[in-house]
Amino acid sequence: MRSKLVAGNWKMHGSLTENEALLGALRGGLGSAAPSECAVCVPFPYLAQAQRLLQGSAVAWGAQDVSEHAKGAYTGEVSAAMLRDLGCRYVLVGHSERRAMHAEDSPLVARKLRAAQSAGLVPIVCVGETLAERERGVTDAIVSEQLGAVIDGLGVGVFAQAVIAYEPVWAIGTGKTATPEQAQAVHTTLRRLVVQRDPGMADSVRILYGGSVKASNAKELFAMPDIDGALVGGASLDPKEFLAIWRAAS
Ligand code: 13P
């Protein structure tokens, strides 16, 4: 059976001082034996701080992006091995903000996922449609292409050590959450894509929902059979909200 995962994506927010308070509150709020997993994906410069403050706690940490390359002349890039060096467990790949603003296409996202796994990280691969795509009725086609690039390129076996996050672009940072039924429908499509290739993975692959998740809507989302947790942006910067979301998953 799958355990739930609530992961925060801080995006480009934080400072040494603010993080100290936030990470301390999470560490204290979770205790040591957590029934659901909790993780924070922080900006690169704060990974060492996360490692220092979270080591030995029930909160895992990770990054928001990773290079497809292992090492070399790639100015500004950060390798998966470097993230492992800093104790990361997770890394986001293919977040819609990177797809839209950094021209990341699905084959590149698949290569990043492979690089992350090769170094022992658990990638969280993000997929999701824009509002225009939803209105055109092509949501399933879009997320199937995005996930299909990973499955076709790397094989479905990668999902033994990877997490999927469905994040409708129109729900990110807008306060407009997908309804539990809308999210459940897409999660079913995504799970089916994996299961078609390997029925044995039906019960193991974790699919998170992301897009304006808050303490007030988390419970009803988590009640859906194929929603295995959340990828939380804005609300992950507020320890009370984030802990309440994590509690709703527990
Ligand atoms: P919000 O929770 O702020 O909508 O962000 C979602 C997201 O992009 C998480 O990766």
Side-chain angles (χ1 to χ4, degrees):
M1 228 10 237
R2 321 181 279 277
S3 66
K4 288 202 166 39
L5 166 65
V6 173
N9 172 11
W10 288 7
K11 308 195 179 184
M12 201 170 72
H13 294 285
S15 69
L16 286 174
T17 312
E18 288 166 5
N19 306 345
E20 179 116 14
L22 176 49
L23 294 171
L26 296 186
R27 189 186 173 117
L30 239 69
S32 54
S36 298
E37 261 190 88
C38 182
V40 286
C41 294
V42 309
F44 291 134
Y46 300 132
L47 283 170
Q49 184 189 27
Q51 183 178 35
R52 180 170 57 80
L53 295 175
L54 296 177
Q55 206 138 47
S57 80
V59 188
W61 60 96
Q64 300 168 12
D65 185 32
V66 64
S67 174
E68 64 173 303
H69 304 290
K71 62 162 76 170
Y74 301 104
T75 301
E77 292 281 275
V78 174
S79 76
M82 294 171 186
L83 300 181
R84 276 306 290 168
D85 239 0
L86 286 157
C88 289
R89 172 164 174 74
Y90 293 103
V91 63
L92 306 181
V93 294
H95 192 280
S96 62
E97 285 151 18
R98 296 209 60 86
R99 290 182 193 258
M101 294 184 262
H102 301 272
E104 291 195 8
D105 59 12
S106 295
L108 173 60
V109 172
R111 294 196 298 276
K112 289 186 172 201
L113 188 148
R114 179 168 50 197
Q117 277 192 339
S118 306
L121 297 165
V122 178
I124 301 175
V125 57
C126 307
V127 301
E129 82 289 5
T130 63
L131 183 59
E133 289 162 344
R134 174 159 283 267
E135 285 172 347
R136 281 211 315 277
V138 294
T139 297
D140 275 9
I142 295 295
V143 299
S144 298
E145 181 278 325
Q146 291 169 336
L147 196 67
V150 173
I151 295 175
D152 294 342
L154 307 178
V156 76
V158 295
F159 289 106
Q161 280 304 316
V163 177
I164 300 167
Y166 168 55
E167 298 206 305
V169 177
W170 49 270
I172 294 178
T174 57
K176 232 193 259 170
T177 326
T179 64
E181 293 73 21
Q182 281 175 321
Q184 168 63 25
V186 180
H187 284 224
T188 306
T189 299
L190 294 169
R191 193 177 304 282
R192 205 175 288 140
L193 281 177
V194 172
V195 170
Q196 270 166 3
R197 305 287 183 100
D198 182 353
M201 298 191 77
D203 279 336
S204 58
V205 62
R206 286 203 286 193
I207 309 177
L208 314 182
Y209 169 78
S212 297
V213 176
K214 304 182 275 285
S216 58
N217 58 26
K219 225 186 173 85
E220 53 180 25
L221 286 162
F222 295 154
M224 304 312 279
D226 286 298
I227 300 184
D228 305 314
L231 184 54
V232 185
S236 73
L237 300 172
D238 175 340
K240 264 210 203 97
E241 273 286 309
F242 190 58
L243 282 167
I245 294 168
W246 171 76
R247 262 184 237 109
S250 304

